Amino acid sequence: MNMVRGSDLLSDLLLSKGVVTPEQLQAAQNRRAETSLSLSKSLVSLGFISEHDLAKIITAETGHRYVDLLDYKVDIQATTSIDENTARRYICIPIDFEDDKLVLAMADPGNIFALDDIRLTTGYEVLPVVSSSEDILSAIQSYYHLDTDVVDRALEAKVMNMEEGEAGPTSEIVDDAPIVRFTNLIITEAINRAASDIHIDPREDEVLIRYRIDGVCQEVRRSPKNILAGIVSRIKIMSDLNIAEKRIPQDGHFGMVYRDKAIDFRVAILPTIYGEKVVMRILDKSSIMLRLDDLGFLNESLEKYTSAFTMPHGAILVTGPTGSGKSTTLYATLNVLNTVEKNITTVEDPVEYRLAGISQVQVNPKAGMTFASALRNILRTSPDILMVGEIRDMETAKTAIEAALTGHLVLSTLHTNDAPSALPRLIEMGVEPFLVSSAINCVLAQRLVRKLCSNCKIPYTPESGSLTALGFPEAEDGMVLYKPSEHGCAKCSNTGYKGRVGLYEVMEMSDEIQRLTVKEASATVILNQAREEGLKTMKDDGFEKVMLGLTSVEEVLRVVSV
C-alpha cells in the first residue's frame, strides 16, 4: 500500500477491518476537505483511531515490521545519517543499522519518494519499518535537539564562562551523561557527513560548531557559551590531555572504532580570548586501496607523473598547503609501487592510512624519533623506496636528497605554492644546488577543488570574452559550462557540490631546468622555462576540468591565483 498515491486504499482497508464506520470515515473526509490534513491525520485528530493502532494496521497490510520507538534502543549514530529537515519532511527517522542497511522508522513505508531520496543522500540501502507518526516526531525532537538537554543540564550545574575567570564544576559536567552524549553526537555526525575536521569555536556569547566538508567549513549549530567548559574537558579526557591547564596550547589524539572502521582524531586545543578553541582532524586509519586514476589526473599529467615515479631512483616531491591531498597522492603512488619484490618503508607524522606490505614508522619527537633520525635508521635497513611524510628541516632535506642520489626512490612532501618554488626552497634549506638538480625527478604541485553535484549542476553558456581576463581558454561559440545550483539538492546537502577532485601541476626536470637550479634561479624564472617546455599549471588543469563539467570557474579561482 502506498498512501502517497491516494487515500482510497486506506479507506477500504479501515472499513473492511471494521476499524471505523462509514459515518466516521465520511466525517474524516469532510475534515480533510476543510483542512490540509491527510485522511489518516483527520481520523486521528477526530479521535476515531489512535496513531499506534493505525501504524499497526499499516504494518499488517504491508508486511513491514512494526517498531515501538518508546521501547526501542535507538542508535544515535544512525540518526545523524539525515538532517532534521529531511526527517520532518518525510516523518521518518533512522534508528539503527542492520546488515549494512539503514533502518528507517516511517509513518508511511510506501513513500517511495522518501526512500529514494534518503537512499541517494546517505548512500545506504534503506530498510523501512513502521512507527506511529506521533512517536517519530517525538523521537525527532529528542534526538535532533540533544544540545537543548545539554544546555539545560549545564545551566543547572552553573558552569562559568572562562572570561569571567572562575572555575566551574568541571569534574561534574565532564562525567554528565548529556555532555558525553552531545560530544559523541558531534563526532559521529561529522564522520557520517564525511567531514575532515571538527571546529569548536568559542565566541563572546555562544559556541560555534563547524565541520570542514569537501575543504570548506560549514556551520552545524550554535550553542550557549555555558556548555564550552564541559565539551572541552570531555575532549581533553578522551585525548589524555591536562584537564586543568587552560592557559597554553595542547595537542593530543584519541581513537575509536566506528562501524567496524578504526578512526583516529588529532586534537589541537588553543586558548583564545573567549575560551579554548578545539580542532579535531578526522583520519580513517583502516586499510584502503587508493588509485591514482580516482584522484582526478588528466591523461597527460598522469603519464608524466607515472614516468617519474617508475624510475629506479631519484626524488619525487609533492607540494601544496595543508589539506591539499598530498598524503593521499603519495599513498596512491605507493599502492602502484607496492610489490613483493620491493622493500618500501615510510616515516610519517601521523600514519594516516595503513598499507599492507609496507613498513610504516610513526614519528615520536618526545622519544627522539624525528623525521631525520628515523630516515637515517631506515637507510640501514636497505630500502628500495622511501616515503618521508614531510621535509621540514635541513637535516631531513639533505638526508632525503642524498638517499635519492644513492640508488633509492624517495617520495616526500614540501610546503610551497607551486612546483617551480620547490627547487629554490630546498636550496634555502641548505641543500647544495647541484645535489637538488641531480636528485629530483619531478615536482608535483596540487590543490583540491569541490566537484559539482552531478544531480543538480546547472548548464550555462558564458558570455563571449567574459573569462578571457582570467586566462580561460578562448571560448568556442555555444560552449556549455556548468555551475552549482543555487539551493543544491538532498544529495549534496544543499551546497551544489559533492566530493573533491585534484588540480595538478607536474614539472619534469629537463636539462635546462637543472641548469637553472644549479645557477640558483628564482622560482619565476624556472616557471617561465617550464611553461615554454609545455608545463600545464594548476590553473590550466582546473580550467580544463571546468570545460569537462567537473567543477566551476569559481572553485578553481578559490584555490589558485589568476
Side-chain angles (χ1 to χ4, degrees), residues 211-277:
Y211 299 152
R212 186 180 296 278
I213 301 174
D214 292 336
V216 177
C217 281
Q218 298 178 15
E219 181 179 326
V220 179
R221 58 172 56 85
R222 293 172 181 260
S223 298
K225 188 71 169 291
N226 304 72
I227 67 172
L228 177 65
I231 296 173
V232 174
S233 296
R234 173 63 184 166
I235 293 170
K236 284 181 179 179
I237 288 175
M238 296 169 70
S239 309
D240 197 23
L241 298 177
N242 186 348
I243 192 172
E245 181 56 72
K246 301 180 180 180
R247 299 166 298 176
I248 62 175
Q250 296 189 67
D251 295 318
H253 66 91
F254 66 92
M256 64 181 288
V257 176
Y258 177 75
R259 298 189 60 232
D260 298 326
K261 295 175 70 176
I263 309 290
D264 190 41
F265 295 83
R266 293 167 61 185
V267 178
I269 297 179
L270 180 69
T272 72
I273 59 173
Y274 295 126
E276 290 178 286
K277 171 187 174 73

Side-chain angles (χ1 to χ4, degrees), residues 1-7 9-10 38 40-41 51 54-59 61-62 64-66 87 89-93 104-116 118 126-134 136:
M1 183 182 69
N2 183 357
M3 291 191 293
V4 172
R5 293 196 297 262
S7 61
L9 288 175
L10 180 61
S38 63
S40 58
K41 287 287 187 184
E51 289 270 11
L54 181 62
K56 289 179 178 178
I57 290 170
I58 295 172
T59 300
E61 181 65 19
T62 62
H64 290 96
R65 190 168 91 225
Y66 176 78
R89 180 163 68 250
Y90 296 126
I91 313 181
C92 66
I93 184 169
L104 189 69
M106 307 180 70
D108 177 11
N111 189 338
I112 57 174
F113 302 110
L115 293 172
D116 288 345
I118 292 171
V126 178
L127 176 63
V129 297
V130 180
S131 296
S132 71
S133 57
E134 179 183 4
I136 291 173

Side-chain angles (χ1 to χ4, degrees), residues 67-79 94-98 103 143:
V67 170
D68 187 346
L69 291 179
L70 296 179
D71 295 329
Y72 195 89
K73 186 176 180 181
V74 174
D75 186 339
I76 295 178
Q77 296 173 355
T79 65
I95 58 172
D96 211 342
F97 295 101
E98 286 184 12
V103 181
Y143 289 101

Side-chain angles (χ1 to χ4, degrees), residues 28-43:
Q29 288 173 336
N30 294 338
R31 177 70 177 272
R32 180 172 177 241
E34 296 170 357
T35 66
S36 59
L37 294 176
S38 63
L39 177 61
S40 58
K41 287 287 187 184
S42 298
L43 287 166

Side-chain angles (χ1 to χ4, degrees), residues 190 194-199 210-213 217 279-282:
S196 60
D197 302 272
I198 302 171
H199 293 256
R210 297 180 295 169
Y211 299 152
R212 186 180 296 278
I213 301 174
C217 281
V279 177
M280 291 184 280
R281 181 128 187 237
I282 304 172

